[in-house]
Amino acid sequence: MYPPVAIASALLVVVQLGLVVCDCSNPVVRKEWRALPNNEKLAYINAVKCLQLQPSHLSHVYDGTRCRFDDFQATHISNTDYIHWVGFFQPVIRWHRAFLSQYESDLRSLCGYEGAQPYWDWTLDVNTEADFPKSPVFDPVYGFGGNGAYINTTSWTNVSLHIPGKTGGGCISTGPFVNMSVNMGPGSNSFTYNPRCLTRDFSPWLVTRTLNASVVAWALQAPDFYEFDRRVEGGVTLDTATYHSGGHKGVGGDIGEISDLYSSPGEPVFFLHHANIDRLWDLWQRLDWPSRKYDISGPNTSFAYPFNFYGDKPYRNITLDYQMDFQGLLSTDNQIVAVDDVMDIQGGRLCYTYA
Ligand SMILES: *[C@@H]1O[C@H](CO)[C@@H](O)[C@H](O)[C@H]1NC(C)=O
Ligand SMILES: *[C@@H]1O[C@H](CO)[C@@H](O)[C@H](O)[C@H]1NC(C)=O
Ligand SMILES: *[C@@H]1O[C@H](CO)[C@@H](O)[C@H](O)[C@H]1NC(C)=O
Ligand SMILES: *[C@@H]1O[C@H](CO)[C@@H](O)[C@H](O)[C@H]1NC(C)=O
Ligand SMILES: *[C@@H]1O[C@H](CO)[C@@H](O)[C@H](O)[C@H]1NC(C)=O
Ligand SMILES: *[C@@H]1O[C@H](CO)[C@@H](O)[C@H](O)[C@H]1NC(C)=O
Ligand SMILES: [Cu+2]
């Protein structure tokens, strides 16, 4: 028998490492933003601001990081070409699942946050175009602030995809992140320190078409993971965009930070959007847990079939033993996470649930 104190402190150590022993009897409960009481909203916001004041662990790898928050942006930039439109997107949702879990763990262990990572169920904010900017997520006090000022980009040639119905583009001017500094990006291989304001560029037009309840219901009807993943990631054009890109391009429009495929985690709302994507994957799995717990597939290379929008590429389908390398972001010695380790949010290294 081990003395209870030793067991308790051993447990504490593993929990701080973001790991959980096989047993997950007390999962943290991730809630929808508007379901949090105001004091819990403020606790989360303050923890994110605190993460923006903690030292970077990866400044020896990326020149542009100035704080722990930036480590997530840098790691995302570094991995973007490998984690989108590939079989482990869901691990993007799968990769993003482990990414988010580390973020949640840092808020708790580095910043004394006692809650869980909240999510944003955008279906509640898109009944009409006018509803969207009024989302509690964009509240100036108990949220992340609102849109940026309008910038007309119609004649700009450096915009990768012009978003219809865009209404912003400038720096946000309200809320707790009005003075935050986005330190890297935009675009690929952009690890140089490039401090700038946080920009948003809402497209209420796009969100009513990509983030509504029927889009979600259609994704959840997918018979297997392969099809589910296709429905969540969607295509690269506006008429094939679904809820993953709808959240990015609906908040970020043409030129807002979260629209940047690479540097989007510079936007704090990124983590609420991806938590909802993760929640929906878990929800889809639990509609038929025995057959979906281990259902995984999709190309090992981005933009290979069925995401071969730019032509065919050699690929193979990923499997449970496929390994994702987090390159120093994780607070564990081992930076390699197998897909198998993140299939169950209450097993392996994960221990949380969604309310
Ligand atoms: C944006 O600029 C274009 C010309 O470049 C103009 O045709 C259009 O009306 C402007 N849009 C708005 C909303 O001001
Ligand atoms: C894109 O082009 C516009 C207008 O030419 C310019 O104002 C803007 O700074 C450019 N943006 C980037 C990221 O290069
Ligand atoms: C942002 O900075 C300005 C100028 O320093 C300051 O007056 C304001 O209180 C700051 N706002 C927030 C939310 O930190
Ligand atoms: C939801 O989005 C789908 C796909 O864009 C669209 O066909 C449908 O009309 C939308 N539903 C509502 C109620 O807006
Ligand atoms: C994906 O699989 C293809 C075909 O087996 C292989 O050529 C390629 O190197 C793999 N890519 C990665 C990133 O593992
Ligand atoms: C990958 O899996 C899909 C769905 O099961 C299948 O259609 C496709 O042929 C597979 N690709 C390869 C290279 O095995
Ligand atoms: Cu994303």
Side-chain angles (χ1 to χ4, degrees):
M1 284 280 288
Y2 294 99
V5 172
I7 294 173
S9 58
L11 267 172
L12 189 65
V13 171
V14 264
V15 169
Q16 281 174 344
L17 287 174
L19 290 172
V20 178
V21 257
C22 316
D23 163 50
C24 171
S25 50
N26 193 18
V28 295
V29 181
R30 294 185 177 178
K31 297 178 187 152
E32 212 279 328
W33 184 253
R34 74 205 74 202
L36 297 176
N38 286 339
N39 65 324
E40 291 181 23
K41 289 177 178 153
L42 293 181
Y44 179 78
I45 288 165
N46 288 333
V48 174
K49 293 181 80 136
C50 158
L51 207 59
Q52 295 177 338
L53 296 171
Q54 299 304 308
S56 166
H57 302 176
L58 295 175
S59 50
H60 58 292
V61 186
Y62 307 108
D63 340 320
T65 60
R66 291 295 181 276
C67 61
R68 180 62 177 156
F69 181 83
D70 294 349
D71 292 348
F72 290 85
Q73 188 187 33
T75 304
H76 193 271
I77 293 171
S78 165
N79 284 279
T80 295
D81 288 335
Y82 311 103
I83 58 178
H84 291 92
W85 286 288
V86 296
F88 49 101
F89 167 82
Q90 307 271 346
V92 182
I93 298 174
R94 280 149 279 148
W95 190 88
H96 285 118
R97 180 170 270 184
F99 185 74
L100 225 58
S101 176
Q102 181 63 47
Y103 187 76
E104 178 180 62
S105 159
D106 281 352
L107 292 173
R108 292 167 63 89
S109 66
L110 302 178
C111 290
Y113 176 58
E114 291 178 350
Q117 172 62 43
Y119 64 90
W120 175 26
D121 180 358
W122 5 255
T123 62
L124 302 170
D125 296 315
V126 300
N127 281 334
T128 68
E129 294 189 13
D131 284 350
F132 190 67
K134 296 184 206 148
S135 168
V137 166
F138 301 124
D139 190 273
V141 178
Y142 300 111
F144 299 80
N147 203 7
Y150 180 70
I151 296 177
N152 189 336
T153 53
T154 306
S155 63
W156 292 20
T157 52
N158 55 6
V159 169
S160 60
L161 183 64
H162 285 277
I163 304 296
K166 61 162 268 162
T167 57
C171 300
I172 63 167
S173 59
T174 56
F177 296 99
V178 70
N179 292 337
M180 82 168 266
S181 172
V182 176
N183 287 337
M184 283 161 292
S188 60
N189 298 315
S190 48
F191 302 108
T192 313
Y193 182 53
N194 179 27
R196 54 202 199 286
C197 68
L198 176 61
T199 52
R200 294 197 186 119
D201 190 3
F202 293 170
S203 173
W205 179 89
L206 186 64
V207 296
T208 57
R209 285 157 179 81
T210 52
L211 301 181
N212 73 41
S214 14
V215 176
V216 171
W218 167 72
L220 291 174
Q221 281 156 15
D224 55 23
F225 181 81
Y226 186 77
E227 182 58 25
F228 176 69
D229 196 40
R230 284 178 81 163
R231 294 183 185 191
V232 173
E233 293 213 59
V236 288
T237 57
L238 279 172
D239 57 347
T240 55
T242 66
Y243 67 71
H244 171 241
S245 49
H248 282 274
K249 300 288 180 184
V251 174
D254 288 345
I255 53 174
E257 188 61 41
I258 197 175
S259 273
D260 189 296
L261 191 56
Y262 296 84
S263 64
S264 48
E267 159 68 88
V269 170
F270 171 97
F271 297 90
L272 279 79
H273 174 49
H274 268 278
N276 197 37
I277 290 169
D278 185 63
R279 177 180 73 94
L280 294 171
W281 177 30
D282 179 67
L283 186 60
W284 176 83
Q285 285 184 299
R286 281 170 212 276
L287 293 174
D288 184 1
W289 184 246
S291 70
R292 295 180 180 177
K293 179 179 178 188
Y294 292 121
D295 185 9
I296 207 72
S297 58
N300 68 334
T301 306
S302 58
F303 297 122
Y305 183 84
F307 305 115
N308 52 339
F309 314 122
Y310 309 111
D312 287 322
K313 284 179 169 186
Y315 78 98
R316 63 180 181 81
N317 280 312
I318 65 153
T319 49
L320 289 171
D321 57 4
Y322 197 87
Q323 298 191 328
M324 305 179 282
D325 186 350
F326 282 81
Q327 304 169 334
L329 182 71
L330 305 184
S331 50
T332 46
D333 288 341
N334 184 4
Q335 296 296 316
I336 305 291
V337 177
V339 168
D340 192 16
D341 290 337
V342 294
M343 291 301 290
D344 179 1
I345 63 174
Q346 287 160 42
R349 57 185 299 123
L350 306 173
C351 186
Y352 59 88
T353 187
Y354 286 101

